[in-house]
Amino acid sequence: MDEMDEVVAEFLVESYENLDRLDRDLVDLEQNPSADKLAGIFRTIHTIKGTSGFLGYAKLESITHVGENLLSRLRDGELAVGADITSGLLAMVDGVRQILGNIERAGTEGETDWTALVERLAALNRPAGAAPEVAAEPERKEAEVAEFEPGDEEEQPEGMPFGQMAIQAGRTTPQAVERAVAAQHQGDPRHIGEILVEAGELEPGDVVDTLAAQSEARPSMADNNIRVDVGQLDKLMNLVGELVLARNQILQFTTNQAGDGLVNAGLVQTSQRLNLITTELQAGVMKTRMQPIGNVWSKFPRVVRDLAVTCGKQVRIEMDGRETELDKTIIEAIKDPLTHLVRNAVDHGIETPEARRAAGKPAEGRLLLRAFHESGQVNIEISDDGAGLDVERIKRKAVERGLVSLEHAERMSDREASQLIFVAGFSTASQVTNVSGRGVGMDVVKTHIEKIGGSVDLQSRLGHGTTLRIKIPLTLAIIPALVVTSGGDRYAIPQVNLLELVRLDSEQARSGIETIQGARVYRLRGNLLPIVYLHEELGVDFETTDDDAINIVVLQ
């Protein structure tokens, strides 16, 4: 990869991160206008525009330029943030993201014509009834240079800019920095410090001192974070796994030798030290893969906002526990299922403002996302205060589609009936839309969650809302397991599927295990559990007698 490829790759990574933040900030700005947040959005677009111009991406530069002009008027108080402007800026973010995708895949901006988007943003920037403005290219360039002020230089986006610190330290003047910044944006590739030294406005020693002061002023997060390829982390995790196995073998060998009096105290102490270090290394490597669930949730305010506008609803999204950490693999696995559940809650769960008022509810619906750790798992709850599930309607639809018989439906409890929404092909939507109603989704959600060792539970009250509870493991890199033996062989059962262990002595086994229509069962606290013998299922020779105790593993 040559230098230009590295620059483009870095530009793409940073721009994607900025766009994810813009989605969140623009939605928040619409609800809670803030000068600081608006300034941050402006700086982000300004940075993307400047870099795209340097790299020669004309379409990207034109879109961000007109968006920057709109943001400039918002920042100066000449326009007020509203739904139309927010929608236009979000459309700009989508356009930029699409162009970045084309650059990443093909190295070009693509053939899409963005004139309509540019005109839409320009129209939002014009007073009502004003004619479109057409500015000549040289005039636009001059206007861009005039917008820069001392301290706007982009070479140090983190911390206090170089020029501003040099001015505060009395090493140069604002006018000198302004000239250097203007030269930089007219094409001078040198850093601010080099331009000032060349012009005699700053001593070389002052550059060193200013850079040192700037480094101290920079937030520690900028220095303490690096990007690491996930593939490298996977390789490291595999090596740690092999190290753990070797550690276990050494511990077992040392223990056996010590029991026979054949090993010295030094070797025992060293193996114990190895055990401690390996355990800490394992925990440390696992932590590098952990990410807050907020990384997934950050996209949901935009999803909810767009969908609410489409459906003519008012929805407020709240998030609790966004700092809850999961393995990156788990994060990627639950991203799409969670998105579907959020969309489903807005589309199906929360009513229109008119219907909510008629039911005595506030016009604005509430969608709550909650995450927390419990018993070695992550619990995720998605709750809405909408209409809830009509179980009688669900039963009728299930009977109509032949999913259950009429007799079975009549015997179903409300809780059992609500679980029918997870059956493949089931839907209560009266018409198919681009949001939902095709009868696919909820079954796929459950399948995805169960594939990673999780479970889905649903509770709903008609007229009061619905809550979906998802339980998933913290990580798939290491799976705690129960080791059992049968016929001299050892087998591992994932603990995530384990409910409890029951041991029956010979007398309890003879009286407790019953046979119903040829199937063996055991009554545990009133629940009838089917019994499956491991050695029979695996075809392992295993002799038993009536005097043997029986160990029962209760699984879900």
Side-chain angles (χ1 to χ4, degrees), residues 83-98:
D84 291 343
I85 288 180
T86 302
S87 297
L89 291 173
L90 288 172
M92 174 194 67
V93 171
D94 292 339
V96 171
R97 186 178 281 113
Q98 182 175 333

Side-chain angles (χ1 to χ4, degrees), residues 9-19 47 227:
E10 185 69 14
F11 166 65
L12 290 173
V13 171
E14 292 184 355
S15 296
Y16 279 135
E17 292 176 353
N18 287 335
L19 291 178
T47 300
R227 294 190 184 97

